[in-house]
Each structure stands twice: as structure tokens, then as C-alpha cells.
């Protein structure tokens, strides 16, 4: 198998017969996977489609039908390992018997995946029966296999679904023998699948119904018609219940029955209802006779040949006269019912129908009555002979029914609104009757028949013993019961139900409890929430040392004190409520008179009150108490009582004193205002800065006296708007110091809000003089930027444009000069200088227009100047940083760059230096920049006064002075030039946030 095609091809040529060639050609054109094997079973050839699928090499012997002496099972490595055993079994059977065969397996494709195939093989024999080859065709059945698996899965899911549906489902074979029942069928009957198989289901049928039911089933099987039968069958508890058994055949395409499918439905309740209905109809017929119900006969021609005597009285007619005609009868019908009755009678006669209808009539005296008519057709030889019927006056019954329906609707609505249902329970029989609302409360469907055992299972396990005890007591003879228990719903939730009932007894001694069940879940939850709230309130009062109280000043009685109120005011919570005067004696002697005045004013004005007093506590000494009272008035406005709270604020008072001492030490202006904006307190820093005493703060109009006249109006307006609300606000204004200097301050107002009202305003003032100066500097910088932009525009439109025009004309002139002219070289140099000047001018104008906002990397920016100016690389140029590089103010940074750039341009263009150095030295004291070269130096006169018509050196000095820097320039012809710029750290360095002045 491993030999190359070149090595075996001569052998192939020698051994290949015309039969093999023809066979290979035939198999290669078949649009399927084809192959053949030798008599021994060894695979010899696969067609191209087959070889390509298997991923065989182009020179593989199987592509050419070469017999390489392989074993009979040499093809197994091409198959899935799990299919080798089955392939050996099937292939060995064919080889042993010499018969055709087929087998399915998974074969590996070129990518290493597997697909399912079905391979069929036939023996090819010579005329004398000698076996020549095995010829095979392999079909791809992978999709079919997957569909088959999906079908099996679907069948399983269908069976699972059938097992879970709430019905008894069965299926039977075409001969009628039972083949399947669902899980619910087995559970309902208590049988096994073996017991119901075949005709085993007959053991479940009531003996009196078996023959009739089995006969109907045999008839359906014989005729192929749908089956339907009502039969009593045994339930798992041994009880026989009526069932409706229905079955329908499933047919194939030829109409042959493949299977029977059926459903069995419990109709026990319906049967009982039908039995009751028949009994009621008998009672009704007897009642009609006893009630002198009228009778009548209507013939097919539409005449009444007979009216009973009572019927005349019902309609208010004279019995001595003849019965009315049809039109006279219809004239007695209420106008709104007349056409209906005319159509009904016409239909009854035409179709031989009976009737049972209630209509309204109007007697000749105008009296309205409700009449119920019941008619039955008499048919002989398929011909209607007459319609016989009765008519009964049901006016009182109809009116009572209407009233009953109305009251039932009212009752149902009342029960729904109050979550109260009614019930009846007969202890002797166990029968339970529920109203609509009762079903809703207990979460049951009307199909469920309630029992005591069912109810007990749904009662919470912790309440079940008490529930059963109540039931046992009621069954033993108790005349009434009342209890509350928890009810477990199907979804796991819990309801609280309160049940109350009393027993009624009929003449026969039968007892029945009639009662009501109320859903009290919301009440229970409210009680629980109230208890929780009370616990939280009590704990909160204890933690906050807040007590609540109620006091009737008319009688002088204290009506209520909370437990914490006792403790706050120094009384025993286990003792009785004290009298008001007893409490009053606990007040500090200095506070009794003002407190009594406060109380008397509140009583007189029927108004709320709030104030503080000191109390002499028997255990804790003098305590500071804050009291709030609310006047409660009745609907007529008469005074009822005060309710309120008392809070022990002793610790808060002490904390306020300590806080006041602490605030005095804060290096910031801090003041406290009342809710109306009046000055209450100013810390020591505020007093020292303004030179005002605390009394002067409280007594004088501070805004007008200490705020700059230009800021007073704005400050007052902002302050009035802010104090009118309860949100923080701020304002800035110039504040006068005791040194007579106005400085800018930012005033921040923070409210203390309690119970929706502002109690205090806490105000801090921060000096922002430096920030205001910076804002002014930025404003001036913006003005300067606008001026620079204007200058740049004018320079661009005049000087640069004229220079550009001159350059273009010069260029045109140069182009006309012969290349060998000595003037040509000089003109080219002049043109080059003009172009460089234009480019520098553009950059300078761009610098005038732009406002530097982006930070610079000075090292990178200075390093790029050499490339920008096309400085030869033989000039030794370096930029060095000394110390730790630190952030610089943005504006300072750009000015440093411009100064350094101008110095470097001078060095590169005019000094003829071979070495240029830039040092950036960062220190705590500030920044120092040094630019040195070893060039020819600068003329002392130029260094002192500048070159006429140039402002480079003047510009450097101007920029250094503007940013507060110190500039030194040293130069001579032997050592070159050094430019040194020093800037203090307070100007140059951008301080970390934590070290910045607070604003």
C-alpha cells in the first residue's frame, strides 16, 4: 500500500485486464461513491469521488485498482473506530456466504471529520459462477441519520409532553389491542403498563358497563369509525367514576388504519349534574300541576284549538269566551317581545320544534306579567300534528330572581372588596360549599372539590395542629368556632385567613356550619409593620435620646409619654404618667418663668411651639432639652391637645461649644446665620480680619459697612435670593480688612435643614485675590492676543504680500539670466534668502495669531530647531536637563521656548559656532536656562543697544521682563556667547494641588 505509483505502474499494466478497465471506467462515471474488492475481500479500487472524499494521495493504489495484496479488512482504518466491529461482522458474513449485503458506518473525510454512509455490495461472478469481484456503492446518509436522531428525540419529547398533559391518553393497534397509556393514566388508575396492555384495560371497567363498552369499541375497530362511549372505570382508590372515552383512527396515505389514539375524560360531576337536572325537571312538572299552570295546544295552521281554564285567568281573559286567535294572542305580548314570539311560533310550526321561553304579557287592565311557556311538538309519521305546552305565571319568581341576582352581585362585590368569602360545612358528610370569593382567597379552581384533608395539607405546618383541633371540636358538637391561620399557596406565598362560623341545625338534627373566611394578610402585614415600626421608633428614640409625648393643657393631664420620654425627663418608665406640675418642677429655676410664658402663649394662640430649656435630672444633673409641640385641632377648630417631642441636646450643646472653639482656630473666615440671615456668630479669624467684635457683627449692617461699594448691590441681591431657598449658594465680593484694604473673597453658604426647614446657615469666606488677579491677567492676555492677531493680519496683507510679489518677480528675472552669467549665482542666492525670509515671516505671523494652549516638551522643542534651520550636522548641538524635571505654567513655558528659540537662531545663523549647548536646570528656588556657543560673539554695541532695524535681543529682554525673569547675556570674541534666564519657582513652576493656596 505504501509503494509509489511509478514503482507499481508496470505491474498494473501487466495485470490490468480489459474487464478491470471497463469496470473502473463504469464506476468512475457513476455519481456516487463506488468501489470494488477482490474475491478475498481486500479493497482494490475506489472511484475519484470516493478517493477525494477520503483525501487519498494522487498516486494512491486505490485510485488505480492495483492489487497490493492487502488483507480483507485493510479498509477499516478509514472508518470510525466505534464502527470497526460491526463492519467486520457484516463484511465477513458476505465473504463467508458469498451473498450481497449492506452496512452503515462513519467514514473519515479529508479534513478529519466523519459522516454516516450506507454501503451496499454485490458479488460479480463469471458465467461459471466463479467470484471475480465484489462491487460496492456507498451512499451519504449523514443528513438522514441526523434527521432520524432528531425524529427519535422529537418522539421522546412528544411522549414526555403526552405524559405531562392533564388528561388520560391512550393508543391502540389497528386490531384494537391497547399499546400505550400515558403516565397520568397509570397514576389515575393505579395500574402498570403491563396491566393495561392488550385487553387488560377491561379490568378497570365497571362490570355493569363492560359488555356495552367493549361492544362499542369492537364496532369502532371493525368499521373504522370514531369511538365514543360513556363508561364507569375504577380509580386508583377503588372508586368507580364516570368517564367519557373517545378514540379516533390514524390512517396512512392508502386509508389503512395505522393506529388508534384516544383520550379519557372524567365526567363524574357532569353525570351527577345531569341526574340532578332530571330530578329537578320532575319536581318542576309536579310543581306546575300543583300550581295550576295553564296548558295549550297549537296546531300547524297557527290556531289555538285549546286553552285551559287557568290559562285564560293568567292572560286576564274571560274563560267563557273562545280562545284567542294567533294575532289576538300576539297582541297580548309586550311590544318588545312580540316580534320575537311571532318568529318563534313560525319556526316551531315550520320545523316541528318545541319551546321553553319566558316572555312578558300585558293584560287588558294594563298589568305586566312574566309568563313562561314550555311547548313540545307531537309528530306522527314524520308530520307535525300539534304542539302541546304549558304556560305558568312566573312574575313573582322572575321579580325575586332579578332581586336575588342583584343581591348576589352586591354580595359578591362586597366579598371581593372586603376579601371575605362565605362557606358551608357539614361535619357529618364532610361536604363543603364555597362562594366565588372563597375560591379566590384559597387559590383554588372551581373544579377542585374542597375537603377537610385537602385544607389541612395547605395550612402552615406550625398552625396545622390548632386548625385540626378546631375542626375536631366543631365535629364533636361545638356550636361555633373562630380562628386565624396561615395558608400556603401553590406559588409558595403565604396568606393569613381569619375564619368564623356558627352551627345551624335542621329539623332532622343535621348540623351545618355557616361562616365567613376573610383574607387578613394585609392586616397582619400592617400589624407586623406597625410592630416593627414601633420597635424601630423606640430604638431610634433611645439612640437619639428623643421622646414623644401628648398633653392636654385644658385638663392638665399628660396623656402619653414614650419610654424614652420618661428617661430623658428623669422619670421611671415603669411608673405612672406624672402630672404636668410634677414635671414642671424639674425645670431649672431660671427657666421656669420663660417656659411657662411660652406654654401660655401657645395655648392662647392654639399654635405650634419650639424652644429650649434646662432640666434638673435626678441622676444626670442639669440637662439641655429641646422641645417641639404641635397643636391638634378638631374639625370645628377647637383646641384638643399638644403632641410633640423632647430631645436631650446636652451633648450637642457641649459639642457646639467645642466646635465653636475649634472654628475659632480655623484660618478662614467663618460665620453662622439664622434662617432669616441674621448674624449669630463669627469666628476669631473673621473678627480679627474685619476688626469687628461679635456684638458689632450681630448689631450692625455688615454688608453695607464692609463690602466694597461696587459689590454691595450684587452681593445683597444674591444673598436675598439664596436665603429665600434651602439650597447652597455662593457669591464673591471685595471685603474690607481692618488694614483698610479691600480683598476679593468667595463666600459659600451651606444650609442646615431639619424637617424640611433651614435651621442655620454656615458661611465660609476664602480669599481669592490671587485668582482674581490671574483672571485679570488672562483678560489682558486676551486683549493682547486680539492686538497680535490684528498686527499679524496687517503684516500679512502688506509686508509679506509685497515681499512675496517681489520674490516672484525676481524669480522670473533670474530665469531669464543665462546660466553662465556671473550674476546668475548672486541672484540665486538673493532669491534663496528671500524665500527663507518669506517662510520665517509666515511662521512669525502664525505665532502671532495662535494663543499657546498646548503644553510643550522643551527638550524636544529645542532639539528640533537644528533640523528646522537645516543646521549642518558637524555643529555639536545638545540639550541637557539638570535636576528633576517639573511641570511649568503653560504661559511661562511658551515664553521660555520663544526666548530660547531666538537665542538659538542667533547662535546657529550668526555665531559660526561649532558647539551649541542648552541647559535646563530645575531647582526648588526656580528654573534656570543657559544657552552657550563657542562662536565669534556679539558686538558690544549691538549687545547693548541692538542692531538697527532688528528687535531679536530687545524681544528676548521684553519677554523675560514680562514673565518676571532675570536675563543675563555675556559675549566676547574668544569664548562666544552665553544667554542665561532665571525664573523664581513661584512664577515658573506649577505647584502640586495639595500645596496650592486654598480658594
Amino acid at each position: 500500500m505504501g509503494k509509489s505509483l511509478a514503482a507499481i505502474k508496470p505491474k498494473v499494466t501487466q495485470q490490468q485486464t480489459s474487464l478491470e478497465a471497463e469496470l473502473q471506467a463504469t464506476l468512475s462515471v457513476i455519481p456516487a461513491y463506488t468501489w470494488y474488492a477482490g474475491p478475498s475481500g481486500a479493497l482494490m479500487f475506489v472511484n475519484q469521488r470516493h478517493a477525494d472524499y477520503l483525501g487519498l494521495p494522487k498516486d494512491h493504489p486505490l485510485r488505480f485498482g492495483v492489487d497490493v495484496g492487502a488483507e480483507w479488512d485493510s479498509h477499516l482504518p478509514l472508518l470510525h473506530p466505534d464502527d470497526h466491529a460491526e463492519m467486520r461482522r457484516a463484511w465477513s458474513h458476505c465473504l463467508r456466504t458469498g451473498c450481497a449485503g449492506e452496512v452503515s458506518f462513519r467514514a473519515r473525510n479529508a479534513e478529519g471529520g466523519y459522516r454516516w454512509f450506507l454501503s451496499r455490495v454485490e458479488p460479480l461472478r463469471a458465467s461459471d459462477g466463479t467470484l471475480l469481484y465484489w462491487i460496492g456503492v456507498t451512499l451519504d446518509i449523514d443528513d438522514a441519520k441526523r434527521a432520524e436522531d432528531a425524529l427519535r428525540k422529537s418522539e421522546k419529547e412528544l411522549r414526555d409532553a403526552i405524559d405531562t398533559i392533564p388528561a388520560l391518553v391512550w393508543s391502540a393497534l389497528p386490531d384494537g389491542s391497547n399499546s400505550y397509556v400515558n403516565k397520568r393514566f397509570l397514576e389515575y388508575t393505579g395500574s402498570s403498563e403491563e396491566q393495561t396492555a392488550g385487553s387488560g384495560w377491561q379490568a378497570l371497567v365497571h362490570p355493569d358497563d363492560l359488555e356495552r363498552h367493549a361492544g362499542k369499541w369492537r364496532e369502532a375497530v371493525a368499521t373504522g369509525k370514531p369511538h365514543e362511549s360513556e363508561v364507569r372505570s375504577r380509580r386508583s382508590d377503588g372508586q368507580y367514576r364516570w368517564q367519557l372515552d373517545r378514540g379516533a383512527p390514524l390512517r396512512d396515505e392508502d386509508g389503512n388504519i395505522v393506529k388508534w389514539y384516544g383520550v379519557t375524560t372524567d365526567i363524574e360531576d357532569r353525570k351527577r349534574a345531569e341526574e340532578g337536572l332530571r330530578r329537578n325537571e320532575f319536581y318542576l312538572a309536579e310543581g306546575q300541576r300543583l300550581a295550576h299552570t295553564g296548558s295549550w295546544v297549537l296546531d300547524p295552521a297557527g290556531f289555538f284549538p285549546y286553552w285551559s281554564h287557568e290559562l285564560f285567568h293568567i292572560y286576564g281573559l274571560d274563560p267563557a269566551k273562545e280562545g284567542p286567535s294567533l294575532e289576538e294572542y300576539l297582541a297580548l305580548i309586550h311590544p318588545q317581545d312580540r316580534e320575537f314570539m311571532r318568529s318563534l311560533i313560525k319556526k316551531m310550526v315550520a320545523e316541528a320544534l318545541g319551546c321553553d321561553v319566558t316572555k312578558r304579557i300585558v293584560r287588558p287592565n294594563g298589568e305586566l306579567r312574566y309568563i313562561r311557556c314550555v311547548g313540545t311538538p307531537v309528530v306522527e309519521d314524520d308530520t307535525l300534528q300539534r304542539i302541546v305546552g304549558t304556560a305558568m305565571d312566573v312574575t313573582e319568581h322572575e321579580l325575586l330572581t332579578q332581586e336575588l341576582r342583584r343581591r348576589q352581585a352586591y354580595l359578591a362585590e362586597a366579598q371581593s372588596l372586603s376579601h371575605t368569602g362565605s362557606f358551608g360545612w357539614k361535619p357529618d358528610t364532610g361536604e363543603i360549599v364555597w362562594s366565588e370569593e372563597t375560591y379566590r382567597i384559597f387559590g383554588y379552581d372551581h373544579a377542585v372539590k374542597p375537603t377537610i384533608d385537602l385544607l389541612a395539607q395547605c395550612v402552615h405546618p406550625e398552625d396545622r395542629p390548632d386548625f385540626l383541633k378546631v375542626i375536631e371540636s366543631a365535629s364533636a358538637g361545638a356550636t361555633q368556632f373562630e380562628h386565624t391561620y396561615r395558608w400556603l399557596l401553590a406559588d409558595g406565598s403565604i396568606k393569613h385567613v381569619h375564619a368564623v362560623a356558627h352551627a345551624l341545625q335542621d329539623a332532622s338534627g343535621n348540623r351545618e356550619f355557616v361562616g365567613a373566611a376573610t383574607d387578613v394578610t394585609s392586616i397582619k402585614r400592617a400589624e407586623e409593620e406597625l410592630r416593627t415600626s414601633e420597635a424601630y421608633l423606640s430604638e431610634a428614640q433611645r439612640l437619639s435620646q428623643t421622646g414623644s409625648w401628648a398633653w392636654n393643657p385644658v385638663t392638665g393631664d399628660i396623656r402619653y409619654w414614650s419610654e424614652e420620654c420618661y428617661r430623658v425627663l428623669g422619670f421611671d418608665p415603669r411608673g405612672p404618667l406624672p402630672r404636668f406640675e410634677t414635671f414642671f418642677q424639674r425645670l431649672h429655676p431660671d427657666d421656669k418663668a420663660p417656659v411657662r410664658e411660652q406654654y401660655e402663649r401657645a395655648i392662647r394662640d392654639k399654635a405650634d411651639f419650639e424652644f429650649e430649656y434646662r432640666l434638673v435630672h435626678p441622676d444626670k444633673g442639669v440637662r439641655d432639652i429641646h422641645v417641639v409641640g404641635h397643636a391638634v385641632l378638631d374639625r370645628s377648630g377647637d383646641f384638643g391637645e399638644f403632641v410633640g417631642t423632647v430631645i436631650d441636646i446636652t451633648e450637642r450643646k457641649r459639642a457646639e461649644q467645642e466646635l465653636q472653639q475649634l472654628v475659632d482656630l480655623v484660618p478662614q473666615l467663618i460665620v453662622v446665620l439664622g434662617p432669616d440671615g441674621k448674624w449669630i456668630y463669627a469666628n476669631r479669624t473673621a473678627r480679627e480680619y474685619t476688626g469687628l467684635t461679635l456684638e458689632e457683627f450681630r448689631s450692625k449692617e455688615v454688608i453695607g459697612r464692609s463690602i466694597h461699594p461696587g459689590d454691595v448691590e450684587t452681593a445683597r441681591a444674591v444673598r436675598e435670593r439664596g436665603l429665600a431657598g434651602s439650597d447652597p449658594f455662593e457669591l464673591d465680593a471685595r471685603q474690607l480688612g481692618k488694614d483698610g484694604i479691600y480683598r476679593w473673597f468667595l463666600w459659600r453658604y451651606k444650609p442646615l435643614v431639619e424637617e424640611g426647614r433651614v435651621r442655620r446657615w454656615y458661611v465660609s469666606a476664602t480669599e481669592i485675590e490671587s485668582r482674581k488677579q490671574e483672571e485679570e491677567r488672562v483678560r489682558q492676555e486676551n486683549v493682547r492676543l486680539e492686538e497680535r492677531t490684528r498686527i499679524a493680519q496687517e503684516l500679512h496683507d502688506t509686508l509679506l504680500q509685497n515681499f512675496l510679489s517681489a520674490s516672484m518677480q525676481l524669480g522670473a528675472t533670474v530665469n531669464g539670466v543665462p546660466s553662465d552669467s556671473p550674476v546668475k549665482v548672486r541672484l540665486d542666492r538673493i532669491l534663496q534668502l528671500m524665500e527663507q525670509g518669506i517662510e520665517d515671516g509666515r511662521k512669525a505671523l502664525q505665532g502671532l495669531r495662535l494663543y499657546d494652549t498646548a503644553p510643550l516638551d522643551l527638550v524636544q522643542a529645542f532639539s528640533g530647531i537644528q533640523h528646522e534651520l537645516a543646521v549642518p550636522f558637524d555643529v555639536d548641538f545638545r540639550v541637557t536637563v539638570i535636576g528633576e524635571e517639573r511641570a511649568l505654567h503653560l504661559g511661562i513655558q511658551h515664553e521660555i521656548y520663544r526666548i530660547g528659540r531666538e537665542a538659538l537662531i542667533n547662535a546657529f545663523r550668526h555665531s559660526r559656532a561649532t558647539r551649541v549647548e542648552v541647559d535646563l536646570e530645575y531647582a526648588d528656588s526656580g528654573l534656570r536656562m543657559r544657552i552657550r556657543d563657542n562662536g565669534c560673539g556679539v558686538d558690544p554695541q549691538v549687545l547693548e543697544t541692538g542692531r538697527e532695524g532688528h528687535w531679536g535681543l530687545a524681544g528676548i529682554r521684553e519677554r523675560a521682563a514680562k514673565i518676571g525673569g532675570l536675563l543675563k547675556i555675556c559675549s566676547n570674541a574668544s569664548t562666544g556667547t552665553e544667554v542665561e534666564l532665571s525664573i523664581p519657582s513661584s512664577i515658573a513652576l506649577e505647584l502640586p494641588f495639595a500645596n496650592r493656596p486654598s480658594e
Side-chain angles (χ1 to χ4, degrees):
M1 296 292 285
K3 297 177 181 179
S4 68
L5 180 60
I8 64 175
K9 203 162 188 178
K11 183 178 180 180
V12 171
T13 304
Q14 295 171 5
Q15 295 181 354
Q16 188 176 43
T17 64
S18 59
L19 176 59
E20 289 177 335
E22 182 179 350
L23 182 59
Q24 291 179 18
T26 302
L27 294 180
S28 294
V29 299
I30 296 176
Y33 302 107
T34 57
W35 54 273
Y36 68 77
S40 66
L43 183 65
M44 296 176 60
F45 172 78
V46 295
N47 68 350
Q48 182 177 346
R49 181 190 299 268
H50 207 158
D52 291 345
Y53 172 81
L54 295 172
L56 300 180
K58 296 298 183 180
D59 60 351
H60 198 283
L62 289 180
R63 288 181 178 269
F64 303 98
V66 178
D67 184 0
V68 295
E71 296 295 330
W72 68 277
D73 59 354
S74 61
H75 61 286
L76 289 182
L78 302 174
L79 310 185
H80 194 286
D82 295 346
D83 300 336
H84 287 183
E86 177 62 19
M87 173 59 77
R88 281 196 178 94
R89 184 198 63 74
W91 189 221
S92 64
H93 177 76
C94 292
L95 297 177
R96 187 174 61 257
T97 61
C99 298
E102 69 177 33
V103 65
S104 58
F105 55 86
R106 287 163 288 182
R108 186 179 66 248
N109 58 25
E111 291 77 22
Y114 287 91
R115 291 182 65 84
W116 279 98
F117 290 90
L118 174 66
S119 188
R120 295 191 175 96
V121 63
E122 293 278 353
L124 178 62
R125 300 181 184 276
S127 57
D128 59 357
T130 301
L131 178 62
L132 300 176
Y133 299 100
W134 290 93
I135 310 300
V137 176
T138 301
L139 303 176
D140 188 332
I141 61 169
D142 193 72
D143 293 338
K145 269 285 188 180
R146 295 180 188 276
E148 182 180 334
D149 292 342
L151 179 60
R152 281 196 296 269
K153 182 179 179 182
S154 177
E155 289 177 347
K156 182 179 182 304
E157 291 175 350
L158 177 60
R159 181 178 293 271
D160 292 342
I162 292 175
D163 279 341
T164 57
I165 60 176
L168 309 183
V169 181
W170 54 267
S171 65
L173 300 175
D175 62 359
S177 59
N178 189 57
S179 61
Y180 168 77
V181 293
N182 70 341
K183 183 178 179 181
R184 189 172 292 272
F185 192 109
L186 298 176
E187 292 174 349
Y188 182 85
T189 61
S191 305
S192 64
E193 292 184 5
E194 294 75 13
Q195 291 173 326
T196 60
S199 59
W201 55 269
Q202 295 184 5
L204 300 172
V205 178
H206 194 285
D208 296 343
D209 300 342
L210 180 59
E211 183 176 355
R212 171 182 57 80
H213 179 64
K216 282 190 174 184
W217 174 233
R218 288 193 295 270
E219 180 182 357
V221 171
T223 61
K225 295 181 179 179
H227 162 71
E228 182 173 329
S229 175
E230 294 182 359
V231 60
R232 287 170 290 178
S233 64
R234 189 177 67 245
R235 199 167 59 182
S236 59
D237 59 0
Q239 180 182 359
Y240 284 97
R241 293 178 65 85
W242 279 101
Q243 308 284 343
L244 174 61
D245 189 43
R246 288 175 173 163
L250 174 66
R251 301 179 185 273
D252 58 18
E253 295 179 353
D254 298 328
N256 299 318
I257 295 177
V258 178
K259 225 169 191 181
W260 287 85
Y261 290 98
V263 176
T264 300
T265 306
D266 189 317
I267 59 170
E268 177 71 20
D269 295 339
R270 195 192 80 184
K271 276 289 188 180
R272 292 185 178 181
E274 290 175 351
E275 181 181 348
L277 180 61
R278 285 192 295 271
R279 184 168 58 251
N280 289 341
E281 287 177 348
F282 169 76
Y283 293 155
L284 178 60
E286 185 66 12
Q288 287 179 343
R289 182 184 66 81
L290 295 175
H292 304 288
T293 301
S295 57
W296 48 267
V297 176
L298 176 67
D299 61 23
F303 292 97
F304 290 103
Y306 171 75
W307 266 36
S308 68
H309 186 274
E310 184 62 24
L311 193 57
F312 278 96
H313 285 291
I314 290 175
Y315 280 84
L317 301 178
D318 186 358
K321 297 182 179 179
E322 295 182 354
S325 65
L326 181 59
E327 290 301 323
E328 290 173 338
Y329 165 75
L330 291 173
L332 295 169
I333 305 299
H334 190 282
Q336 294 180 357
D337 300 340
R338 189 173 299 151
E339 288 305 316
F340 168 76
M341 289 304 300
R342 186 190 302 276
S343 299
L344 177 63
I345 293 171
K346 184 177 180 180
K347 186 175 183 179
M348 290 166 59
V349 172
E351 301 179 18
L353 300 175
C355 71
D356 187 345
V357 61
T358 298
K359 61 183 183 297
R360 292 167 294 178
I361 68 168
V362 181
R363 287 176 174 175
N365 63 0
E367 184 181 2
L368 178 69
R369 307 295 292 178
Y370 288 86
I371 308 299
R372 180 185 179 190
C373 288
V374 179
T376 302
V378 178
V379 179
E380 298 176 359
D381 300 328
D382 295 332
T383 302
L384 177 64
Q385 301 298 319
R386 71 191 69 84
I387 299 176
V388 179
T390 61
M392 182 173 62
D393 187 341
V394 293
T395 303
E396 285 72 19
H397 172 75
E398 184 68 24
L399 295 177
L400 287 174
T401 300
Q402 293 177 4
E403 180 64 20
L404 178 61
R405 289 172 183 163
R406 185 163 52 252
R407 292 186 179 185
Q408 286 177 339
Y410 292 159
L411 177 60
E413 184 66 18
Q415 289 189 349
S416 176
L417 292 173
S418 63
H419 303 294
T420 301
S422 54
F423 66 87
W425 170 48
K426 296 180 179 179
D428 297 336
T429 64
E431 181 182 358
I432 298 176
V433 179
W434 280 355
S435 69
E436 180 81 19
E437 183 64 15
T438 306
Y439 274 101
R440 191 199 65 76
I441 290 173
F442 288 110
Y444 279 115
D445 186 84
H446 287 76
V448 176
K449 184 177 179 59
T451 64
I452 292 298
D453 292 339
L454 181 64
L455 299 182
Q457 293 175 7
C458 294
V459 174
H460 193 284
E462 295 178 1
D463 300 341
R464 195 172 296 154
D466 290 340
F467 175 84
L468 294 175
K469 185 176 180 180
V470 170
I471 296 301
E472 181 181 354
S473 174
S475 301
T479 59
Q480 61 184 16
F481 63 81
E482 181 175 1
H483 63 129
T484 302
Y485 51 88
R486 287 168 289 178
W487 182 264
L488 302 178
L489 296 174
D491 60 2
S493 60
I494 296 176
K495 279 187 177 181
H496 292 265
V497 179
H498 178 77
V500 58
H502 65 275
L504 300 177
Q505 189 168 345
D506 60 18
S508 301
N510 299 317
R511 292 193 319 139
E512 179 178 9
F513 279 94
V514 178
T518 304
D519 182 351
V520 295
T521 305
S522 59
I523 298 175
K524 284 289 184 179
R525 288 175 180 171
E527 291 175 351
E528 182 64 26
E529 291 174 0
L530 180 59
R531 284 192 294 270
T532 303
S533 177
E534 289 176 344
Y536 289 159
L537 177 61
S538 177
E539 183 65 12
Q541 287 189 349
R542 185 185 67 80
L543 293 174
S544 64
Q545 294 184 306
T546 301
S548 52
W549 52 266
W551 169 48
N552 186 341
V554 177
T555 63
D557 294 331
I558 296 176
R559 303 183 60 180
Y560 167 75
W561 269 12
S562 69
E563 186 174 342
E564 188 62 21
C565 189
Y566 278 94
R567 285 192 286 266
V568 168
L569 300 179
F571 289 86
D572 186 357
R574 295 167 297 181
L577 283 170
R579 296 286 298 172
F580 179 80
E581 286 301 325
T582 304
F583 148 73
F584 195 79
Q585 293 305 316
R586 290 280 175 93
L587 268 61
H588 191 282
D590 295 343
D591 294 345
K592 288 182 180 180
V595 168
R596 187 178 294 278
E597 182 181 351
Q598 290 271 15
Y599 281 140
E600 290 175 351
R601 182 186 304 113
I603 295 170
R604 182 177 64 253
D605 298 339
K606 302 178 183 178
D608 298 347
F609 60 84
E610 180 177 0
F611 54 87
E612 297 174 4
Y613 57 83
R614 288 168 295 174
L615 179 105
V616 181
H617 196 284
D619 300 324
K620 300 179 181 180
V622 177
R623 308 295 290 179
D624 291 286
I625 306 298
H626 180 85
V627 61
V628 178
H630 170 66
V632 179
L633 309 179
D634 59 21
R635 293 182 178 179
S636 60
D638 294 332
F639 183 73
E641 62 181 359
F642 282 114
V643 295
T645 59
V646 289
I647 307 175
D648 187 336
I649 60 171
T650 307
E651 282 70 24
R652 191 180 81 182
K653 282 279 191 179
R654 292 171 182 170
E656 287 177 353
Q657 293 173 359
E658 294 174 358
L659 178 61
Q660 180 175 325
Q661 296 174 359
L662 180 63
V663 168
D664 279 340
L665 299 176
V666 174
Q668 195 174 26
L669 278 63
I670 298 177
V671 297
V672 181
L673 309 179
D676 55 356
K678 290 184 179 179
W679 300 77
I680 298 176
Y681 173 75
N683 73 340
R684 185 170 64 187
T685 304
R687 298 194 299 270
E688 290 178 350
Y689 178 82
T690 60
L692 300 176
T693 65
L694 184 58
E695 289 71 23
E696 288 174 328
F697 266 104
R698 291 173 177 171
S699 61
K700 294 189 177 182
E701 209 284 311
V702 179
I703 298 292
R705 185 172 184 269
S706 62
I707 299 297
H708 192 283
D711 302 334
V712 169
E713 184 176 351
T714 302
R716 280 177 174 164
V718 173
R719 193 169 181 271
E720 288 176 3
R721 284 197 303 271
L723 295 176
S726 58
D727 295 323
F729 68 95
E730 60 184 38
L731 61 89
D732 52 13
R734 284 166 288 183
Q735 177 74 39
L736 179 64
K738 65 181 180 180
D739 57 2
I741 298 175
Y742 286 98
R743 295 179 180 85
W744 281 101
F745 278 82
L746 175 63
W747 296 81
R748 292 190 174 97
Y749 288 71
K750 302 284 187 181
L752 172 63
V753 180
E754 294 179 350
E755 299 178 356
R757 294 193 302 170
V758 175
R759 301 293 185 182
R760 293 283 189 275
W761 286 96
Y762 294 98
V763 187
S764 65
T766 304
E767 183 180 342
I768 58 172
E769 182 69 26
S770 59
R771 191 184 82 181
K772 284 292 185 177
Q773 292 176 358
E774 179 65 17
E775 290 174 354
E776 178 62 21
R777 189 194 67 78
V778 171
R779 187 190 66 79
Q780 293 176 0
E781 183 69 22
N782 289 335
V783 172
R784 178 170 166 267
L785 177 61
E786 292 176 0
E787 181 63 17
R788 288 171 60 182
T789 302
R790 184 189 64 78
I791 294 172
Q793 182 67 44
E794 290 182 358
L795 288 175
H796 176 273
D797 294 343
T798 56
L799 180 61
L800 187 61
Q801 291 296 331
N802 292 334
F803 202 61
L804 181 61
S805 177
S807 174
M808 294 174 63
Q809 294 182 19
L810 179 59
T813 302
V814 170
N815 291 334
V817 176
S819 60
D820 57 351
S821 173
V823 180
K824 173 74 170 177
V825 176
R826 295 180 179 179
L827 291 177
D828 285 339
R829 177 56 181 165
I830 293 172
L831 184 60
Q832 183 179 2
L833 291 173
M834 291 182 70
E835 289 175 350
Q836 180 64 40
I838 291 171
E839 182 64 24
D840 291 344
R842 285 196 178 113
K843 291 181 179 179
L845 291 178
Q846 183 69 14
L848 283 173
R849 287 175 179 271
L850 295 178
Y851 182 72
D852 300 312
T853 58
L856 279 175
D857 183 335
L858 289 177
V859 176
Q860 183 177 355
F862 286 146
S863 299
I865 293 177
Q866 182 181 23
H867 176 73
E868 177 188 344
L869 300 179
V871 177
F873 287 102
D874 57 353
V875 176
D876 183 10
F877 175 58
R878 64 188 64 185
V879 181
T880 305
V881 176
I882 302 172
E884 183 179 354
E885 190 172 359
R886 297 168 67 178
L888 302 175
H889 280 295
L890 190 60
I892 301 298
Q893 189 181 63
H894 282 273
E895 293 297 338
I896 292 172
Y897 169 71
R898 292 189 182 98
I899 293 171
R901 174 184 169 83
E902 184 65 32
L904 287 173
I905 290 175
N906 290 333
F908 285 133
R909 287 185 175 177
H910 306 301
S911 71
R912 298 190 298 277
T914 60
R915 185 178 72 255
V916 178
E917 298 176 350
V918 178
D919 291 340
L920 294 172
E921 181 179 350
Y922 293 88
D924 292 339
S925 59
L927 172 72
R928 178 176 299 169
M929 178 178 70
R930 286 187 296 271
I931 299 176
R932 297 187 297 271
D933 66 63
N934 62 349
C936 61
V938 182
D939 183 86
Q941 183 65 30
V942 173
L943 188 62
E944 182 178 353
T945 61
R947 184 178 286 110
E948 185 178 357
H950 295 264
W951 62 284
L953 290 176
I956 289 177
R957 290 189 174 98
E958 180 183 328
R959 290 182 188 278
K962 184 185 70 172
I963 62 176
L966 177 63
L967 184 70
K968 294 180 181 180
I969 303 177
C970 302
S971 179
N972 60 64
S974 60
T975 60
T977 302
E978 178 176 315
V979 178
E980 180 180 295
L981 173 67
S982 300
I983 308 174
S985 59
S986 60
I987 298 176
L989 301 182
E990 186 173 284
L991 298 178
F993 182 81
N995 297 332
R996 295 180 185 175
S998 175
E999 291 190 0

